[in-house]
Amino acid sequence: MPLSLWLSLVAVCAMGAMSPGPSLALVLRHTLGGGRLPGVTAALFHTLGVGFYALLTVWGLGALIARQPVLFQTITWLGAAYLAWLGIKALRAGRGGTWQRAEVHPTTRTQAAREGMLVALGNPKLILFFIALLSQFVSPDMSIAAKALIVATAMVIDGGWYLLVAMVLSHSSVLPWLQARAHWINRLTGLVLLGLALRVVLGPLG
């Protein structure tokens, strides 16, 4: 995989991981309710769920591209529409959102592991988001090593972001700072997602 293409993959995966949603709320809740270890546990098991979906998506898209180009194009356009919807939703989130909805409840590492996996596997938007992203990076003749690199990149970025969230939020002074700037985080995420949607419409990355 060319370096420029991989860097594009890194950018879109980072935006996907950092976009406020149920996954972020989960890590916030377990970190604030149980401390660093439950937060880290939730992050790691969420990453396993993400890796499972990434693996299915990468291996399935190759056959889809080769056999059903019209269907592939339809999915690509639906993915672009979904990215745009996420961007608009983030722009309209304002000062509220995930950062201020996190509630503190007692939690354990076992609960964090279970819920981290279930939030990833039980979120239908996650698989659609992967299709919208990875459809721009997968080709029918792509090697197994390149596919493995895509899966590993998605997992490392997702896991790295949520681990960072859990570690940083272990310090109680950080959350108020994030809450005060939530509207700027939402706006930046929204603009990037709208840009990605436009890039999908214009054609495959390369």
Side-chain angles (χ1 to χ4, degrees):
M1 177 181 293
L3 179 60
S4 60
L5 188 61
W6 181 76
L7 291 176
S8 297
L9 174 65
V10 169
V12 294
C13 286
M15 288 300 101
M18 296 172 67
S19 178
S23 300
L24 180 58
L26 171 81
V27 177
L28 287 174
R29 182 167 64 84
H30 283 291
T31 301
L32 298 177
R36 179 171 296 179
L37 285 180
V40 168
T41 301
L44 290 176
F45 276 81
H46 182 273
T47 300
L48 292 178
V50 166
F52 175 74
Y53 269 149
L55 188 64
L56 291 182
T57 304
V58 169
W59 259 261
L61 279 178
L64 183 65
I65 295 171
R67 300 175 185 175
Q68 301 289 341
V70 175
L71 178 59
F72 170 74
Q73 186 62 48
T74 300
I75 292 176
T76 299
W77 281 81
L78 289 174
Y82 177 62
L83 288 174
W85 177 79
L86 286 178
I88 294 172
K89 184 179 179 182
L91 288 174
R92 296 177 63 184
R95 293 179 178 272
T98 301
W99 303 106
Q100 296 184 352
R101 290 198 303 268
E103 299 178 358
V104 179
H105 297 290
T107 185
T108 66
R109 279 178 287 177
T110 301
Q111 292 173 334
R114 180 177 64 253
E115 293 182 12
M117 181 71 74
L118 290 177
V119 164
L121 296 181
N123 186 0
K125 294 180 180 180
L126 186 60
I127 185 63
L128 180 58
F129 189 61
F130 268 116
I131 291 175
L133 295 176
L134 299 186
S135 63
Q136 306 303 301
F137 298 92
V138 180
S139 60
D141 58 346
M142 180 170 283
S143 67
I144 294 179
K147 292 179 179 179
L149 178 61
I150 291 176
V151 175
T153 299
M155 292 184 67
V156 168
I157 291 176
D158 182 88
W161 166 245
Y162 289 119
L163 283 173
L164 178 63
V165 168
M167 298 294 286
V168 170
L169 288 184
S170 299
H171 303 281
S172 59
S173 62
V174 175
L175 186 58
W177 186 91
L178 290 174
Q179 289 175 334
R181 293 159 178 80
H183 58 299
W184 292 112
I185 297 173
N186 287 330
R187 288 175 183 177
L188 177 60
T189 301
L191 290 175
V192 172
L193 288 171
L194 287 174
L196 293 174
L198 179 62
R199 188 63 187 86
V200 170
V201 170
L202 294 178
L205 297 172

